[in-house]
Amino acid sequence: MKITQSLFVTLKEEPADAEVRSHALMVRAGFIQQIAAGVYVYGPLMWRVLRKIERIIREEHDKAGCQELLMPALQPRELWEESGRWERYVADKILYHFTDGRGREVCLGPTHEEVITKFVKGKLNSYKQLPQTLYQIQTKFRDEMRPRFGLMRGREFIMKDAYSFDADAEGMASSYAAMREVYRNIFSRCGVRFTPVEADPGAIGGAGSEEFMVDADTGEDAIAVCRTTGYAANVEKAVSRISAPPEPEAEVAMHKEPTPGAKSCEDLEALFPDLPIERMLKTILYRATWLDRAQVVAVLCRGDREINTIKLQNHLDCLAVELADEKTVKAATGAAVGFAGPIGLGEDVLLLADQSVEGVKGFLCGGNETDMHYLDVHFGRDLEQPSTQEFGVVQAGDTTVDGEGTIEITRGIEVGHIFQLGSKYSEAMDCRFADLEGKLQPFQMGCYGIGVSRTAAAAIEQGHDEAGMIWPLPIAPFHVMLIQMRAGDEAQDALAQELYDSLQEAGVEVLWDDRKGRPGGKFKDADLVGLPMRVVVGRDAAERKVEWKLRTDEEAEVISADEVLPRMIEALSQAGI
Ligand code: ATP
Ligand code: MG
């Protein structure tokens, strides 16, 4: 492709609203343009990247025996009623839904479990037809509360989703294991560094689930990893062991003390400098909602730990958990915010505790009275220990559950997510097959997603420098940037044309900067767009000499024009292209 004949427009200025590098660089390089919050045009260069990622995805799925299909984005409410998910997705405000011209409620698919289950119902009738895995690559719609980071969190984005159907749990586990391999192959072939981690299945439901994280400091997800044991889990899901704090020197009777204005652990640390924060218990009030009711829930946790609301929501099996507002806190505790405690809470408040409180003796907690705290409190003596669960957020330095290693926290970008769904959807939607004895059984399903557009953004997040993007060869929009220093110079025109033709003929994708402008601007654009290889045809064209440089090299090298093609073929074959 010649730049003079293509829509190639780069900007000097960074977009003001870009919070991450991938977003800023893609906008500057003209790869994407925002049309509304979280809604983008994928320009020609971006589209080439997306098509390459899609191609790798298709090849790996097809190789594993999966079949491609395409399902509709527009879906009727009734279908979502059958699975029982309509309410939850509406409550989560993630679903785009509206009434059509005939008064029917419809939504734009955020995911396709319902449609695929409906599709196979009556088509897969016997165990003899199993297992099967179907996939599609399609635009998904999610009314993300905070669309941001460019393609990383869009409201309209491209996803590959796959669904497996098996006769039993064993079959499902082996389909899942096969897909895990497919995912490893896909992300390896895309040329990104990634970590598979244990994950929380979230609203989709089901049992086992793993996420594929592209390693990047700017990632939205925190990951708990242990280099000794190999443990890796999303912090939403991660579990750890923590040790109980030292016991108080003497056992003292519980007593109330005034703590004027001390609402946080920091305030209390200033007031009681001798009391370790591990012996200050926080009581956090939430409002949990189910379809038909709501309840105030108080969760007790050690002062140095945080509550993971996803674990709490999973435990309560409710639609949503949010921090209680001031009015609710006042009604439940009779006190201003900051003084809640486990003793003397309103009767309708459900009191739970994080495992971090276990073994804590002689602690401080809120007094359920403004400006008051209890001190030297003991479970068993002053109050019963509430039922404890693991609700905490894992922290760096925690011990792994097996006691063998220490946890570190790193960051990543979730580009893929695989789930074992079990019979959640097949049962709800009465989708069954006849087993060996002719008995009707619900399918054991798995579902598998890849954020295609997010993968492109993640690759840039992982590969960039001050000057621009650095694409991995397998998904770069073109393989090589051919820069001609002076368009119109006879020798340069001839050599550039010759290289362009011979490379194209050999299947190397060339973007030829044949513009008239100044070389400086061309080099800047080349760095911004970040094609993995660069060839410069300049002054030495008459001697058939060119400059060769990888995007990651510091210095260019002068080589014979005849060496260009063999070098490129070598680079492509090394990258598995
Ligand atoms: P997240 O936790 O990031 O919101 P999710 O768990 O809701 O994602 P899944 O339902 O598992 O996402 O979707 C499969 C894949 O689709 C994700 O792994 C991610 O790569 C991609 N994806 C999800 N939401 C978005 C979005 N808003 N924009 C771009 N890609 C997305
Ligand atoms: Mg996910």
Side-chain angles (χ1 to χ4, degrees), residues 184-207:
R184 281 180 182 277
N185 294 343
I186 289 170
F187 294 116
S188 302
R189 278 188 63 190
C190 284
V192 292
R193 294 185 306 282
F194 64 95
T195 309
V197 305
E198 288 175 24
D200 177 75
I204 285 187

Side-chain angles (χ1 to χ4, degrees), residues 39 56 65 97 119 185 211 235 251 287 371 402 447 449 564:
V39 179
I56 293 171
H97 59 103
F119 177 67
N185 294 343
E211 287 163 340
V235 163
E251 197 172 320
R287 189 165 177 276
D371 294 340
D402 61 12
C447 83
V564 170

Side-chain angles (χ1 to χ4, degrees), residues 16 57 168 228 231 258 268 366 397 422 436 482 531 536 546 555 572:
I57 290 174
D168 50 34
T228 318
Y231 179 71
L268 290 161
L436 198 61
L482 174 63
L531 302 185
V536 181
V546 297
E555 301 288 337
L572 292 179

Side-chain angles (χ1 to χ4, degrees), residues 12-136:
K12 285 213 174 61
E13 298 291 316
E14 299 258 312
D17 63 335
E19 295 172 74
V20 293
R21 293 310 294 154
S22 62
H23 184 194
L25 293 170
M26 281 194 271
V27 171
R28 261 187 67 202
F31 278 47
I32 57 171
Q33 183 172 328
Q34 184 174 304
I35 294 302
V39 179
Y40 292 87
V41 174
Y42 308 117
L45 289 174
M46 189 72 229
W47 190 237
R48 289 180 70 95
V49 173
L50 296 173
R51 277 187 16 227
K52 286 190 180 182
I53 297 173
E54 289 183 5
R55 186 159 130 204
I56 293 171
I57 290 174
R58 285 199 170 91
E59 285 174 4
E60 291 301 324
H61 279 73
D62 294 350
K63 203 159 76 187
C66 309
Q67 306 153 75
E68 186 170 0
L69 81 171
L70 185 62
M71 293 182 269
L74 196 65
Q75 305 174 13
R77 173 177 178 153
E78 296 78 58
L79 199 55
W80 284 69
E81 298 272 358
E82 275 184 50
S83 68
R85 271 209 296 187
W86 182 267
E87 303 289 348
R88 167 98 188 232
Y89 273 65
V90 169
D92 283 352
K93 297 199 173 73
I94 198 88
L95 198 66
Y96 279 105
H97 59 103
F98 52 93
T99 310
D100 71 10
R102 277 175 285 177
R104 297 197 190 117
E105 245 193 302
V106 291
C107 69
L108 296 176
T111 172
H112 280 72
E113 283 77 12
E114 283 78 6
V115 182
I116 194 80
T117 306
K118 171 110 183 163
F119 177 67
V120 303
K121 188 170 172 172
K123 291 182 190 65
L124 292 181
N125 292 316
S126 157
Y127 73 95
K128 289 181 197 147
Q129 295 168 282
L130 303 178
Q132 299 226 14
T133 300
L134 298 150
Y135 77 98
Q136 66 170 349

Side-chain angles (χ1 to χ4, degrees), residues 147-436:
R148 60 198 172 136
F149 304 155
L151 298 191
M152 217 94 88
R153 186 166 296 283
R155 293 192 300 160
E156 179 180 327
F157 59 96
I158 303 173
M159 195 204 283
K160 183 286 310 182
D161 45 326
Y163 306 87
S164 62
F165 296 87
D166 273 278
D168 50 34
E170 237 172 47
M172 170 177 72
S174 83
S175 293
Y176 177 87
M179 286 304 270
R180 184 197 283 134
E181 275 317 294
V182 168
Y183 272 49
R184 281 180 182 277
N185 294 343
I186 289 170
F187 294 116
S188 302
R189 278 188 63 190
C190 284
V192 292
R193 294 185 306 282
F194 64 95
T195 309
V197 305
E198 288 175 24
D200 177 75
I204 285 187
S209 126
E210 276 161 280
E211 287 163 340
F212 287 75
M213 297 286 185
V214 164
D215 310 330
D217 297 341
T218 48
E220 273 192 289
D221 285 279
I223 311 166
V225 295
C226 172
R227 293 186 203 276
T228 318
T229 63
Y231 179 71
N234 192 315
V235 163
E236 291 178 347
K237 161 92 180 179
V239 288
S240 67
R241 247 170 51 180
I242 56 174
S243 41
E247 295 188 8
E249 276 157 25
E251 197 172 320
V252 182
M254 177 174 96
H255 53 106
K256 232 177 193 178
E257 278 213 21
T259 51
K263 295 178 181 173
S264 66
C265 285
E266 291 87 76
D267 299 338
L268 290 161
E269 280 184 292
L271 273 184
F272 305 104
D274 296 334
L275 187 65
I277 189 166
E278 292 89 345
R279 285 196 4 238
M280 299 181 177
L281 299 195
K282 305 189 266 200
T283 307
I284 304 152
L285 267 65
Y286 296 94
R287 189 165 177 276
T289 43
W290 290 260
L291 201 51
D292 52 354
R293 68 194 174 96
Q295 177 161 32
V296 179
V297 181
V299 186
L300 208 55
C301 127
R302 229 163 73 176
D304 60 328
R305 312 295 298 188
E306 301 298 329
I307 294 297
N308 178 337
T309 49
I310 292 172
K311 290 183 184 172
L312 180 61
Q313 183 170 350
N314 288 344
H315 173 74
L316 295 169
D317 194 18
C318 58
L319 290 175
V321 169
E322 55 191 1
L323 273 180
D325 60 18
E326 217 177 312
K327 210 174 114 202
T328 312
V329 173
K330 186 106 214 222
T333 66
V337 174
F339 302 95
I343 303 165
L345 275 174
E347 282 201 347
D348 45 356
V349 178
L350 171 66
L351 179 62
L352 299 170
D354 172 46
Q355 66 161 20
S356 62
V357 307
E358 251 168 59
V360 182
K361 295 188 176 133
F363 55 83
L364 168 153
C365 63
N368 289 324
E369 187 182 333
T370 304
D371 294 340
M372 281 294 189
H373 277 84
Y374 282 111
L375 270 93
D376 297 298
V377 189
H378 286 252
F379 287 126
R381 187 190 72 179
D382 305 315
L383 79 158
E384 225 177 279
Q385 181 170 322
S387 116
T388 58
Q389 301 284 334
E390 159 111 35
F391 291 129
V393 179
V394 166
Q395 293 176 4
D398 288 358
T399 305
T400 51
V401 171
D402 61 12
E404 299 291 319
T406 306
I407 284 177
E408 271 176 62
I409 306 290
T410 64
R411 299 202 77 81
I413 300 165
E414 179 198 324
V415 287
H417 199 164
I418 59 178
F419 304 84
Q420 294 190 37
L421 288 173
S423 58
K424 181 176 156 129
Y425 294 91
S426 48
E427 226 155 327
M429 297 179 67
D430 195 24
C431 180
R432 296 168 205 275
F433 66 96
D435 69 12
L436 198 61

